Amino acid sequence: MINFTVGPVQMDDETRNLGSNQIPYFRTSEFSTLMKENEALLCKFMDAPDSSRVIFLTGSGTASMEGGVMNFFTPEDKVLVVNGGSFGHRLVELCQIHDIPYTEIKLDVGTQLTEEHLKCYENQNYTGFLIQLCETSTGILYDMNLVGKFCKENGLFLFVDAVSGFMADELSMKKMHINAVITGSQKALALPPSMSFTVMDQVAINRCKQINVRNLYFNYPDYLLNGERGQTPFTPAVGTLIQLNEKLKRIDSSGGIINQNRIAKERAEYFRTQIEGLPLKMFMSNKDSSNCVTALMPTKPGVNAHKVFEIIKDEYGIWICPNAGEMAEKVFRVGHIGSIKKEEIDTLISVFKELVKREIL
Ligand SMILES: *Cc1c(COP(=O)(O)O)cnc(C)c1O
């Protein structure tokens, strides 16, 4: 199997080997030390300001989306939510469920967020801003410098869902004025699904302590308190955290996050050059695309994108990523995160070419 989805993605051999070990008991000083290292390295890779902290939540990326909405906002807030696809829509749903007053900036799918979209919300007493770094359903990479500047100038708390974008795309909490940012284990970190992580600056730490949400499992102040001694309130996905530690250290000793960004960029560019000439159109323009994923539309009339996904899966053992909802039959995606070799991209390209010959694509 070759896996070009956007998560779970192909794991490195080092990660897989660790996965065969027994899971140790975790209320130990050894595990606390490992967790402290995890915290420091995640802060480093997110370019977090000094005194930032990390919440290690057992649950997929959505758990940390929900945890963030619950711990950083209340019905006293008034937030802006960017909705440019299914993950933006999820942020909107979370604001609805948790009674957070919000205004939705709904983008036509495939269009970039611009200064024009934000202008009318200046000096309007908004208190928060929620957005993805990469909206994985379309592959758009938002201009986080623009968003960060807007939030700083208007005093908005900036919460960023970088579940798919972290490591693939440039991300700096300091430069982009991000207060809290989340990522997940099964995306570019290429670990098993099970955990998600929130890096928070001092403003975010103070905010969640002040709010002190009435919830047992999602109580961030409780996580912060336990985290002071390198622990979590409840049993975490211990195995994933051990794999995370090995992965973060390996990144650190091999050129750091800059090198990861570079690898992702080169891989995405290689794929995008190789598809030139095929009857596939990139859903986003190159300059608005994340390095995490490429969304593609078959251009030949009558070609069904979901059918292409199924044929490639069933007949060639390769998984590309189907889209859900309205775009299901028009768009499929090819992910560039996880352990993907150049030869595997070449294999996928030759399958596309064969499908063209077979008049399926
Ligand atoms: C994958 C993803 C998530 C989380 O999805 P889970 O299935 O809950 O892990 C959240 N946001 C974005 C942008 C994602 O790509």
mmCIF file of all heavy atoms in Angstrom, residues 240-258:
data_model
loop_
_atom_site.group_PDB
_atom_site.id
_atom_site.type_symbol
_atom_site.label_atom_id
_atom_site.label_comp_id
_atom_site.label_asym_id
_atom_site.label_seq_id
_atom_site.Cartn_x
_atom_site.Cartn_y
_atom_site.Cartn_z
ATOM 1 N N THR A 240 2.038 6.840 21.836
ATOM 2 C CA THR A 240 2.176 7.928 20.859
ATOM 3 C C THR A 240 3.124 9.005 21.384
ATOM 4 O O THR A 240 3.912 9.572 20.628
ATOM 5 C CB THR A 240 0.803 8.550 20.543
ATOM 6 O OG1 THR A 240 -0.086 7.512 20.133
ATOM 7 C CG2 THR A 240 0.902 9.589 19.449
ATOM 8 N N LEU A 241 3.064 9.271 22.686
ATOM 9 C CA LEU A 241 3.927 10.310 23.255
ATOM 10 C C LEU A 241 5.386 9.884 23.236
ATOM 11 O O LEU A 241 6.284 10.726 23.099
ATOM 12 C CB LEU A 241 3.459 10.647 24.676
ATOM 13 C CG LEU A 241 2.114 11.385 24.714
ATOM 14 C CD1 LEU A 241 1.572 11.456 26.135
ATOM 15 C CD2 LEU A 241 2.241 12.786 24.108
ATOM 16 N N ILE A 242 5.632 8.587 23.348
ATOM 17 C CA ILE A 242 7.004 8.077 23.243
ATOM 18 C C ILE A 242 7.476 8.200 21.784
ATOM 19 O O ILE A 242 8.605 8.622 21.515
ATOM 20 C CB ILE A 242 7.073 6.618 23.740
ATOM 21 C CG1 ILE A 242 6.808 6.584 25.253
ATOM 22 C CG2 ILE A 242 8.421 5.975 23.408
ATOM 23 C CD1 ILE A 242 6.642 5.191 25.839
ATOM 24 N N GLN A 243 6.586 7.871 20.863
ATOM 25 C CA GLN A 243 6.932 8.024 19.433
ATOM 26 C C GLN A 243 7.128 9.498 19.082
ATOM 27 O O GLN A 243 8.003 9.854 18.296
ATOM 28 C CB GLN A 243 5.836 7.401 18.564
ATOM 29 C CG GLN A 243 5.817 5.870 18.630
ATOM 30 C CD GLN A 243 4.527 5.284 18.085
ATOM 31 O OE1 GLN A 243 3.433 5.704 18.453
ATOM 32 N NE2 GLN A 243 4.643 4.302 17.212
ATOM 33 N N LEU A 244 6.307 10.356 19.704
ATOM 34 C CA LEU A 244 6.451 11.799 19.471
ATOM 35 C C LEU A 244 7.837 12.274 19.904
ATOM 36 O O LEU A 244 8.498 13.038 19.195
ATOM 37 C CB LEU A 244 5.373 12.563 20.261
ATOM 38 C CG LEU A 244 5.467 14.095 20.247
ATOM 39 C CD1 LEU A 244 5.132 14.650 18.858
ATOM 40 C CD2 LEU A 244 4.540 14.724 21.291
ATOM 41 N N ASN A 245 8.276 11.799 21.047
ATOM 42 C CA ASN A 245 9.570 12.205 21.588
ATOM 43 C C ASN A 245 10.705 11.842 20.632
ATOM 44 O O ASN A 245 11.571 12.673 20.329
ATOM 45 C CB ASN A 245 9.770 11.530 22.953
ATOM 46 C CG ASN A 245 11.000 12.041 23.663
ATOM 47 O OD1 ASN A 245 12.021 11.381 23.709
ATOM 48 N ND2 ASN A 245 10.909 13.252 24.199
ATOM 49 N N GLU A 246 10.651 10.619 20.118
ATOM 50 C CA GLU A 246 11.703 10.177 19.187
ATOM 51 C C GLU A 246 11.648 11.025 17.919
ATOM 52 O O GLU A 246 12.677 11.459 17.404
ATOM 53 C CB GLU A 246 11.504 8.686 18.881
ATOM 54 C CG GLU A 246 12.617 8.049 18.065
ATOM 55 C CD GLU A 246 12.487 8.300 16.570
ATOM 56 O OE1 GLU A 246 11.346 8.434 16.066
ATOM 57 O OE2 GLU A 246 13.544 8.375 15.906
ATOM 58 N N LYS A 247 10.441 11.276 17.441
ATOM 59 C CA LYS A 247 10.286 12.040 16.191
ATOM 60 C C LYS A 247 10.778 13.483 16.364
ATOM 61 O O LYS A 247 11.513 14.012 15.523
ATOM 62 C CB LYS A 247 8.816 12.035 15.755
ATOM 63 C CG LYS A 247 8.517 12.848 14.525
ATOM 64 C CD LYS A 247 8.702 12.058 13.267
ATOM 65 C CE LYS A 247 8.605 12.936 12.027
ATOM 66 N NZ LYS A 247 8.353 12.177 10.814
ATOM 67 N N LEU A 248 10.363 14.123 17.445
ATOM 68 C CA LEU A 248 10.763 15.526 17.657
ATOM 69 C C LEU A 248 12.273 15.657 17.792
ATOM 70 O O LEU A 248 12.874 16.578 17.233
ATOM 71 C CB LEU A 248 10.073 16.096 18.909
ATOM 72 C CG LEU A 248 8.549 16.264 18.849
ATOM 73 C CD1 LEU A 248 8.012 16.722 20.198
ATOM 74 C CD2 LEU A 248 8.123 17.245 17.754
ATOM 75 N N LYS A 249 12.885 14.707 18.487
ATOM 76 C CA LYS A 249 14.343 14.762 18.643
ATOM 77 C C LYS A 249 15.024 14.540 17.299
ATOM 78 O O LYS A 249 16.051 15.163 17.003
ATOM 79 C CB LYS A 249 14.810 13.703 19.632
ATOM 80 C CG LYS A 249 14.571 14.069 21.085
ATOM 81 C CD LYS A 249 15.046 12.907 21.932
ATOM 82 C CE LYS A 249 14.994 13.163 23.397
ATOM 83 N NZ LYS A 249 15.156 11.877 24.130
ATOM 84 N N ARG A 250 14.464 13.648 16.506
ATOM 85 C CA ARG A 250 15.047 13.364 15.187
ATOM 86 C C ARG A 250 14.938 14.607 14.295
ATOM 87 O O ARG A 250 15.873 14.936 13.566
ATOM 88 C CB ARG A 250 14.338 12.146 14.565
ATOM 89 C CG ARG A 250 14.947 11.640 13.295
ATOM 90 C CD ARG A 250 14.760 10.121 13.139
ATOM 91 N NE ARG A 250 13.441 9.646 13.528
ATOM 92 C CZ ARG A 250 12.385 9.603 12.708
ATOM 93 N NH1 ARG A 250 12.491 9.984 11.460
ATOM 94 N NH2 ARG A 250 11.212 9.157 13.148
ATOM 95 N N ILE A 251 13.807 15.293 14.382
ATOM 96 C CA ILE A 251 13.658 16.539 13.600
ATOM 97 C C ILE A 251 14.703 17.550 14.068
ATOM 98 O O ILE A 251 15.378 18.199 13.271
ATOM 99 C CB ILE A 251 12.234 17.131 13.775
ATOM 100 C CG1 ILE A 251 11.183 16.214 13.157
ATOM 101 C CG2 ILE A 251 12.158 18.534 13.178
ATOM 102 C CD1 ILE A 251 9.748 16.607 13.486
ATOM 103 N N ASP A 252 14.842 17.644 15.396
ATOM 104 C CA ASP A 252 15.747 18.631 15.974
ATOM 105 C C ASP A 252 17.195 18.399 15.540
ATOM 106 O O ASP A 252 17.942 19.345 15.313
ATOM 107 C CB ASP A 252 15.633 18.573 17.507
ATOM 108 C CG ASP A 252 16.143 19.842 18.173
ATOM 109 O OD1 ASP A 252 15.921 20.926 17.598
ATOM 110 O OD2 ASP A 252 16.757 19.736 19.239
ATOM 111 N N SER A 253 17.555 17.134 15.405
ATOM 112 C CA SER A 253 18.960 16.845 15.074
ATOM 113 C C SER A 253 19.178 16.739 13.562
ATOM 114 O O SER A 253 20.258 16.390 13.111
ATOM 115 C CB SER A 253 19.398 15.555 15.762
ATOM 116 O OG SER A 253 18.610 14.494 15.283
ATOM 117 N N SER A 254 18.117 16.996 12.779
ATOM 118 C CA SER A 254 18.304 16.912 11.325
ATOM 119 C C SER A 254 17.802 18.180 10.634
ATOM 120 O O SER A 254 16.994 18.132 9.715
ATOM 121 C CB SER A 254 17.616 15.673 10.756
ATOM 122 O OG SER A 254 16.239 15.723 11.046
ATOM 123 N N GLY A 255 18.256 19.312 11.130
ATOM 124 C CA GLY A 255 17.948 20.569 10.456
ATOM 125 C C GLY A 255 16.721 21.291 10.970
ATOM 126 O O GLY A 255 16.350 22.344 10.452
ATOM 127 N N GLY A 256 16.070 20.724 11.977
ATOM 128 C CA GLY A 256 14.946 21.420 12.611
ATOM 129 C C GLY A 256 13.731 21.585 11.723
ATOM 130 O O GLY A 256 13.612 20.947 10.678
ATOM 131 N N ILE A 257 12.860 22.470 12.139
ATOM 132 C CA ILE A 257 11.566 22.612 11.460
ATOM 133 C C ILE A 257 11.744 23.239 10.072
ATOM 134 O O ILE A 257 10.983 22.949 9.146
ATOM 135 C CB ILE A 257 10.574 23.406 12.347
ATOM 136 C CG1 ILE A 257 9.127 23.094 11.960
ATOM 137 C CG2 ILE A 257 10.827 24.895 12.287
ATOM 138 C CD1 ILE A 257 8.655 21.747 12.376
ATOM 139 N N ILE A 258 12.765 24.082 9.933
ATOM 140 C CA ILE A 258 13.028 24.721 8.636
ATOM 141 C C ILE A 258 13.266 23.641 7.579
ATOM 142 O O ILE A 258 12.772 23.729 6.455
ATOM 143 C CB ILE A 258 14.287 25.619 8.718
ATOM 144 C CG1 ILE A 258 14.161 26.584 9.877
ATOM 145 C CG2 ILE A 258 14.574 26.289 7.377
ATOM 146 C CD1 ILE A 258 13.806 27.994 9.557
#
